[in-house]
Amino acid sequence: MNQRTPVRLPLALWAGVTALLLVAPTLVVIPLSFTERRSFSFPIEGWSLQWYERFFTDPRWYGALGTSIAVAIGAALVATVAGTLAAIALDRARLRYGWLIRALLLLPVVVPQIVAAVAIFGTYLGWGISGTPLGLLLAHIVLAIPFVVIPVSTALQSFDPTLERAAAVLGAGGWGRFWQVQLPLISPGVITGFVFAFVTSLDEVVIAYFLQTPTLRSLPVQMYSSVTVETDPTIAVASSLMLVFSTIVILLPRFFAARRRRLLKAKETP
Amino acid sequence: MHTSARWSALLLAPAVLLVAICFVVPIGSIVLRSFTEPELGLATYERLFADPTTLRVLGRTLLVALGAVGLCLLFGYPYAYLMTLVGPDMRAVLMVLVLVPFWTSLMARTFAWVSLLQRDGPVSALLAFAGVPGVTLLGTAAGVMIGMVQILLPYMVLTLSTTLSRIDRGLLTAAQSLGANRYRTFFQVYLPLSLPGVFAGSALVFILALGFYITPQLLGSPRESLIAQVIGVRVERLVDFAGAGGLSLIVLLTTALCLAAAVLAFRPVRAMLGQGGDRR
């Protein structure tokens, strides 16, 4: 019954093509960032670091990087706190309209970004916060909340409630149970949520584009403007940095989780 | 162990208020503006549908989204199927290959396609080598679709692999022992069992494809714009929030319809929304 079905060659080849389509195209930005000429043409004839120098000396570029990182950290922090608290409440209380609240909190992933962008732009304009750091921060917090609620809810579902009962029997109060029992156990979900929230904000273009001013431009918006108006390989530098940076941010928690699992296993088997 | 209702309301308040005030209110108000500006009524919709470009753009958007769904199935189904056949290590590798581009910067990827698809770029050279010289895909619907498929493929593969991994392969052995050949086993047993995943993945890809803005802006041509671009132009150039709101409502309704279909077709989506009854 359990014999392994042999993988036929055409299937393997087609999957190989698919994997290539998924991963390879993006990698061209890395060699392109070291080009000598002011063009995006291939093959690259001479190599230089001039575009990296330009990225870190031109305030339009490094300023945009600073804006992006500051907004992403702020948005991820607020979204993580708000999203985690909401996920805990949704998990504990059997609320009659719990599913409705959950759907509301997940709404920002479902609504097309362009609809969200023009709507937010129109309303924030009226509130006088379009083009301000506060406006961009609020928009990114909201966009990031679903990315916290989903992994924290998943972590809570695998949390054994008897552990909390045991802590209560042993005399731990509500706060003690939360800080010393529940939070450490769901922390992988919270960390995943924070990372997803951070990357979501860092990468967001459309809303940031509509809320921009000449002084408030995130890195993706600067990249977008650059590619529409000029042929400037500095965008390849920005792309490469984003690529390397978000890959590290995403893979780091996985790496630590895998190492912890290995350590735990080593402890269990003497 | 009951947390009082007041406690849970307090815990929910920050997230719910943030999403309600900073997200739902703006969307509600732009949709409302389509019915109230310049005066109460359906004038905005009469205006939108009197303009022949609206329907043409809508039709083109639906076609491009359907094309993206087709291409995602073409690449994603065999890939997800392969994931069910290989061992755990290889499956992890295939999973990472899907997940890594999932989280790499959208702008970086779109810019990569701009440089690949440009006139006399690598893709043109490849096509010329294959015997089709002088083709530039940048600025065409085909170029837009290629860029979209790379971004959307992970959603299709992840949804499909959930369904395919649950199919009991014993059924295939049973079918074959009853005399069905490989093709008949696939088309009469495996494919029907995988259809919920196909529907859910297709609905998800279709919904996401409707909203694409950056990819068609940079890889497409302004003469072949999609609905998202027209919404953008309404606000950016024409300062026509009512018109943008009307078009937004059309997109939102289409999205909601597809989402409802996907939820019906695919129970895990419902479980994710917290309606699954078998928790703990």
Side-chain angles (χ1 to χ4, degrees), chain B residues 229-241:
Chain B
Q229 292 164 282
V230 177
I231 295 177
V233 167
R234 290 259 165 209
V235 167
E236 222 184 335
R237 304 244 174 81
L238 311 174
V239 203
D240 172 19
F241 280 100

Side-chain angles (χ1 to χ4, degrees), chain A residues 4-5 7 14-15 18 21-22 26 40 42 91-92 102 106 114 122-124 127 142 203 209 224 228, chain B residues 3 21-23 26 29 74-75 82 85 101 105-106 109 118 122 150 169 217-218 228 236 241 273 279-280:
Chain A
R4 180 82 60 77
T5 311
V7 176
W14 190 242
T18 308
L21 178 74
L22 278 168
T26 320
F40 301 145
F42 294 95
D91 182 72
R92 285 192 172 188
R102 198 176 285 269
L106 297 184
I114 184 69
T123 302
Y124 288 15
W127 292 347
V142 169
D203 197 28
Y209 174 79
Y224 180 84
T228 46
Chain B
T3 317
I21 295 172
C22 302
F23 194 82
S29 79
L74 185 68
F75 286 103
L82 182 71
L85 297 183
S105 158
L106 171 71
R109 281 195 278 171
Q118 66 183 326
Q150 193 213 7
R169 296 200 69 84
Q217 277 288 87
L218 295 183
E236 222 184 335
F241 280 100
L273 286 169
R279 294 174 56 205
R280 284 197 185 138

